[in-house]
Amino acid sequence: DGGITQSPKYLFRKEGQNVTLSCEQNLNHDAMYWYRQDPGQGLRLIYYSQIVNDFQKGDIAEGYSVSREKKESFPLTVTSAQKNPTAFYLCASRDQGNEQYFGPGTRLTVT
Amino acid sequence: AQSVAQPEDQVNVAEGNPLTVKCTYSVSGNPYLFWYVQYPNRGLQFLLKYITGDNLVKGSYGFEAEFNKSQTSFHLKKPSALVSDSALYFCAVRAAPSGNTPLVFGKGTRLSVIA
């Protein structure tokens, strides 16, 4: 998982609260990505950013928001509008050789 | 649109036997293909990739994969499975060249190696 940190590893929230997941990379990569992982569904793309101050919606962006104010940081906010927020969230960045590097993930539980 | 199919949710193999985890893809133009492995409650780890060149790609931990353009497949193989290979395996694709567009992942195949 080297070079990308996600915090915290486990996160618990009450329904109706917004929560922000942290993703930081020290790999000097331009592109960063957020995926959601649910059992049996693989990885689904939430948002991605190709460069600072720019980001695009992925396949399941509803109920989520992101920012990219610094190259190193790509935080994800899970809003109260997200109907099923409990999941494992993975952040990744990409090098010039097309390989995506993943962080260790944050497991969010909303009750 | 790009897509990846991993037709088997679960693959069981005895330790020491060869293993194959299947992957087929659909993409416009030439593909960039990847295999990743995930251990419980961890992020994904890169195993190998095909960008161009030799169809047989060798990767980490003794794994290899063969790109077959006519069958649009990129199956992951290992000659002799280890119990420690038990994990969740993901195949991914991106059209080439494609800037920083994201990888599209399959749903994953759980490999169980039995001692």
Side-chain angles (χ1 to χ4, degrees), chain A residues 1 9-10 30-31 33 35 37 40-43 45 48 50 88 90 94 97-100 102-104 107, chain B residues 32 34 36 38 41-46 49 51 88 90 94 98-108:
Chain A
D1 304 329
K9 189 171 179 64
Y10 297 96
D30 286 318
Y33 310 86
Y35 292 90
Q37 184 178 15
Q41 296 198 50
L43 274 67
L45 182 68
Y48 66 103
Q50 301 192 51
F88 190 50
L90 288 161
R94 188 190 140 186
N98 293 291
E99 183 181 330
Q100 283 185 205
F102 284 82
R107 186 165 297 280
Chain B
Y32 290 164
F34 301 79
Y36 286 83
Q38 185 182 34
N41 292 311
R42 300 289 298 276
L44 275 65
Q45 295 177 32
F46 170 79
K49 66 182 177 185
I51 302 296
L88 188 57
F90 289 97
R94 177 190 295 125
S98 55
N100 284 323
T101 54
L103 289 175
V104 173
F105 286 83
K107 293 188 176 182

Side-chain angles (χ1 to χ4, degrees), chain A residues 2 9-10 13 15 33-34 38-39 42 44-45 56 62 73 90 92 108 110:
Chain A
K9 189 171 179 64
Y10 297 96
R13 281 294 182 269
E15 196 173 322
Y33 310 86
W34 273 106
D38 297 281
R44 293 183 291 168
L45 182 68
Q56 287 83 40
E62 185 176 350
S73 179
L90 288 161
L108 173 65
V110 177

Side-chain angles (χ1 to χ4, degrees), chain B residues 72-92:
Chain B
T72 62
S73 67
F74 191 57
H75 302 331
L76 182 70
K77 299 184 180 186
K78 187 173 182 181
S80 179
L82 300 172
V83 172
S84 57
D85 293 329
S86 298
L88 188 57
Y89 290 81
F90 289 97
C91 182

